[in-house]
């Protein structure tokens, strides 16, 4: 008999490929937990800046900004160089695109080093985007597992300590299908184990898209099913739960005319979905802002944090567009507008930080400060 923790596992005389697995060393587990502790800090959240050059194309086009590497660098530098004390009070980590990891500021400082100087943990998006899922109708999976371990090892050497991988699910009468849920859960679990083996904390993002004709009860049902499949796969792949982070959508109605879904109703359904599926061993749940207005994303987060009920996870934000939309419109590639854009960015992340603490001042579903 071999004793592991408080449980005993029989060691078979003949090694079985079904039951044999590689355990993480205690020192590696401890390192992953320390990274989680550095990223998951009360009142702080993550800034998602992992848009690819292709995904920035449309947004830059709308603003009349040429989509060049220099302009992308200048934009990210504008974000990261906002007032250090204010920025680091609200942001604990930044998710980067591969391009940004290897860029330097106009002063010749590595972008990763700029973040480190601000006590912000650099992270990296490692998936390679959505592709059609064969055998399913109008559903996707995510590619990028090939050579992922080698890439993660290199990113770790270059200063990234956590990673993000996104799979998406749409809500219709026929989706998400069982095939899509099982396939994407398995992909997320495989990604997570590879990251952990390379000393990188995986952020697992099964994003349930909100647009559609569904009501909030249907959304709750789908969230429970998707998250249950993900947690089952993580268990089967023996992912170290204390060394991972979940990134989740809020439970939202897709019906535009359904105006009765108050922040309290969103909070109730979101917390219920998590209570029914996510074990306390998972240290944190980061909410994404997809499908919401900038204001709704912080008001709903505030309501979730304040909702009465068991919430054994640290709850906070990992927002991209909700923090950047209006900031980018002010910046427009104009260096003279950097200070104004940074002021708005700091205002937005301060509101998100207050929401993550449940301290947002809200009157009639409108932020008052």
């Amino acid at each position: 008999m071999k004793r592991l923790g408080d449980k005993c596992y029989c060691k078979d005389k003949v090694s079985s490929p079904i039951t044999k697995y590689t355990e993480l060393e205690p020192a590696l587990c401890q390192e992953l937990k320390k990274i989680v502790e550095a990223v998951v800090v009360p009142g702080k959240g993550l800034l998602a800046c992992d848009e690819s050059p292709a995904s920035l194309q449309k947004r830059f086009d709308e603003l009349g900004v040429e989509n060049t590497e220099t302009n992308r660098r200048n934009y990210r530098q504008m974000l990261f160089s906002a007032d250090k004390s204010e920025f680091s009070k609200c942001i604990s980590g930044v998710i980067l695109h591969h391009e940004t990891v290897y860029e330097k500021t106009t002063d010749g400082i590595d972008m990763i080093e700029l973040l480190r100087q601000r006590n912000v943990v650099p992270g990296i998006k490692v998936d390679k985007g959505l592709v059609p899922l064969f055998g399913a109708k109008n559903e996707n999976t995510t590619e990028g597992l090939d050579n992922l371990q080698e890439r993660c090892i290199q990113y770790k050497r270059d200063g990234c300590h956590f990673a993000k991988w996104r799979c998406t699910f749409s809500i219709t009468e026929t989706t998400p299908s069982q095939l899509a849920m099982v396939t994407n859960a398995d992909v997320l679990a495989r990604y997570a184990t590879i990251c952990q083996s390379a000393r990188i904390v995986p952020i697992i993002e099964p994003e349930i898209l909100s647009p559609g004709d569904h009501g909030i009860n249907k959304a709750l049902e789908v969230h429970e099913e998707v998250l249950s499949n993900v947690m089952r796969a993580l268990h089967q792949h023996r992912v170290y739960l204390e060394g991972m982070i979940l990134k989740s959508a809020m439970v939202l109605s897709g019906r535009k005319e359904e105006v009765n879904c108050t922040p309290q109703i969103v909070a109730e359904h979101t917390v219920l979905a998590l209570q029914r599926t996510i074990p306390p061993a998972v240290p944190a749940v980061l909410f994404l802002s997809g499908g919401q207005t900038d204001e709704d994303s912080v008001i709903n987060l505030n309501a979730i944090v304040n909702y009465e009920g068991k919430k054994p996870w640290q709850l906070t934000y990992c927002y991209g567009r909700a923090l950047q939309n209006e900031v980018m419109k002010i910046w427009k590639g104009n260096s003279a507008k950097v200070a104004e854009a940074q002021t708005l960015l700091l205002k937005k992340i301060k509101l998100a930080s207050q929401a993550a603490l449940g301290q947002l001042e809200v009157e009639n579903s409108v932020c008052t400060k």
Side-chain angles (χ1 to χ4, degrees):
M1 299 288 286
K2 182 182 179 183
R3 181 170 291 278
L4 297 173
D6 295 324
K7 296 182 179 179
C8 292
Y9 296 88
C10 292
K11 191 174 182 181
D12 297 333
K13 293 181 180 179
V14 179
S15 178
S16 166
I18 297 175
T19 58
K20 185 179 180 181
Y21 66 97
T22 302
E23 267 194 283
L24 296 180
E25 293 293 330
L28 175 51
C29 291
Q30 193 61 30
E31 180 177 356
L32 293 172
K33 286 180 71 173
K34 285 184 177 180
I35 295 169
V36 170
E37 289 169 3
V39 172
V40 181
V41 180
K44 293 188 180 185
L46 268 60
L47 176 63
C49 292
D50 55 328
E51 305 94 341
S52 67
S55 63
L56 279 175
Q57 183 71 54
K58 182 179 179 182
R59 297 170 69 187
F60 274 17
D61 285 348
E62 291 172 351
L63 300 175
V65 177
E66 189 179 359
N67 187 16
T68 63
E69 183 177 352
T70 298
N71 280 335
R72 293 192 296 272
R73 186 275 314 274
N74 291 343
Y75 174 64
R76 265 106 187 210
Q77 180 177 325
M78 179 272 295
L79 297 174
F80 305 158
S81 60
D83 183 81
K84 178 179 178 179
S85 62
E86 295 298 317
F87 189 82
S88 59
K89 276 181 188 176
C90 304
I91 299 295
S92 58
V94 174
I95 306 176
L96 303 171
H97 183 268
H98 174 89
E99 177 181 69
T100 314
V101 173
Y102 299 103
E103 285 182 327
K104 294 181 182 292
T105 67
T106 50
D107 295 329
I109 301 171
D110 290 338
M111 207 70 84
I112 290 267
E113 180 58 28
L114 175 64
L115 292 173
R116 277 199 294 253
Q117 290 173 0
R118 290 160 176 268
N119 299 316
V120 173
V121 183
I124 179 72
K125 172 189 174 183
V126 293
D127 72 70
K128 294 191 174 180
L130 303 176
V131 292
L133 176 60
F134 293 111
K137 187 176 181 180
N138 299 322
E139 294 185 282
N140 297 313
T141 187
T142 311
E143 62 182 359
L145 289 173
D146 291 347
N147 302 318
L148 178 59
Q149 187 175 41
E150 290 86 348
R151 290 191 289 128
C152 283
I153 290 170
Q154 189 61 52
Y155 285 135
K156 181 71 177 184
R157 287 174 182 159
D158 295 331
C160 296
H161 299 288
F162 66 92
K164 188 202 83 168
W165 184 292
R166 172 178 177 257
C167 291
T168 64
F169 306 85
S170 297
I171 303 178
T172 69
E173 290 184 2
T174 57
T175 63
S177 66
Q178 191 64 29
L179 173 63
M181 287 189 287
V182 171
T183 300
N184 283 314
D186 189 64
V187 167
L188 286 165
R190 291 174 64 194
Y191 141 77
T193 56
I194 292 169
C195 281
Q196 290 185 336
S197 73
R199 299 162 49 222
I200 284 179
V201 167
I203 294 180
I204 295 167
E205 182 179 355
E207 180 179 2
I208 299 166
L209 305 171
S210 60
D213 295 325
H214 59 275
I216 197 163
N217 289 326
K218 174 66 173 179
L220 173 62
E221 178 186 324
V222 171
H223 274 256
E224 288 182 29
E225 201 166 358
V226 167
L227 292 174
S228 293
N229 273 281
V230 169
M231 293 312 304
R232 186 180 302 114
L234 296 180
H235 176 72
Q236 291 171 339
H237 285 258
R238 299 190 180 272
V239 173
Y240 178 55
L241 298 186
E242 292 85 349
M244 58 152 279
I245 295 171
L246 176 69
K247 183 178 178 186
S248 175
M250 298 176 192
V251 178
L252 302 169
S253 168
R255 296 176 182 167
K256 292 182 180 179
E257 69 272 21
E258 194 164 307
V259 294
N260 294 324
C261 284
T262 63
Q264 289 68 36
I265 291 174
V266 170
E268 176 187 359
H269 286 75
T270 301
V271 172
L272 189 57
L274 297 175
Q275 288 174 336
R276 290 175 171 174
T277 57
I278 308 303
V282 175
V285 178
L286 310 181
F287 291 106
L288 55 94
S289 58
Q292 305 178 76
T293 65
D294 297 356
E295 190 166 64
D296 284 348
S297 68
V298 292
I299 291 174
N300 287 335
L301 174 61
N302 187 72
I304 291 168
V305 172
N306 282 316
Y307 182 78
E308 292 185 4
K310 294 180 179 179
K311 302 187 293 287
W313 331 270
Q314 182 73 44
L315 304 177
T316 188
Y317 58 93
C318 180
Y319 291 167
R321 293 196 179 191
L323 300 178
Q324 298 181 53
N325 273 334
E326 299 302 319
V327 173
M328 186 183 287
K329 290 177 183 176
I330 290 176
W331 170 73
K332 281 188 177 180
N334 184 352
S335 59
K337 292 285 187 178
V338 166
E340 184 181 350
Q342 289 177 334
T343 298
L344 180 58
L345 172 67
L346 294 173
K347 178 182 177 182
K348 283 185 169 291
I349 63 175
K350 183 178 180 181
L351 288 172
S353 174
Q354 290 172 343
L357 292 170
Q359 298 173 356
L360 191 68
E361 295 183 19
V362 180
E363 185 177 323
N364 297 324
S365 296
V366 176
C367 298
T368 57
K369 119 184 215 193

